Amino acid sequence: DCSDWVKKQRAQTTRFDLIFLDPPTFSNSTAMEHDWDVQKNHQSMIDDCMAILSESGTLIFSNNFRRFKLAETLKEKYQVEDRSKWSIQRDFARNPRIHQCWFIKNAG
């Protein structure tokens, strides 16, 4: 369960310059205490990752849920740059909703 690992890293002094977060749309793995739903759980996972990111680091967050909407509160807390168009291979460009991607940095 990567969410447990990220939470444990918050207590450590190590900070990361780059984090790539590409969670599944949904998971009900028996290894996890609760089901994972990217739309419902993305904000807390991003906040946890931002807590272990270095001040000048970048979190790359992507997912393949076609109806995904990034929480507006994240845009208020962090620098958020939509890189979806950049991240889609030319073969899939005809359907831009197939994949979404953001570069997220600490504000200020």
Side-chain angles (χ1 to χ4, degrees):
D1 182 358
C2 67
S3 58
D4 281 345
W5 184 88
V6 170
K7 285 182 187 350
K8 288 177 185 170
Q9 292 306 303
R10 291 183 79 155
Q12 306 299 316
T13 57
T14 302
R15 294 296 174 252
F16 300 90
D17 294 326
L18 180 65
I19 298 173
F20 181 68
L21 176 61
D22 185 43
T25 299
F26 181 81
S27 176
N28 60 356
S29 169
T30 57
M32 298 184 340
E33 196 171 308
H34 302 286
D35 291 347
W36 165 265
D37 179 310
V38 72
Q39 187 62 67
K40 188 169 64 172
N41 302 115
H42 77 278
Q43 186 168 356
S44 61
M45 179 61 94
I46 288 173
D47 284 337
D48 287 342
C49 286
M50 294 303 289
I52 64 172
L53 191 68
S54 68
E55 272 302 308
S56 60
T58 301
L59 168 65
I60 300 174
F61 171 66
S62 66
N63 74 78
N64 298 325
F65 181 39
R66 292 172 190 249
R67 294 178 303 219
F68 182 81
K69 300 278 188 241
L70 188 70
E72 288 296 319
T73 54
L74 292 171
K75 296 174 185 177
E76 297 166 7
K77 287 199 276 193
Y78 310 114
Q79 280 182 276
V80 178
E81 179 185 359
D82 187 341
R83 298 295 301 263
S84 298
K85 188 174 182 178
W86 166 85
S87 69
I88 297 174
Q89 293 179 4
R90 210 174 342 149
D91 292 344
F92 299 99
R94 67 181 174 1
N95 186 358
R97 295 188 59 87
I98 198 166
H99 178 81
Q100 297 179 67
C101 179
W102 294 267
F103 283 20
I104 304 173
K105 298 180 179 198
N106 285 302

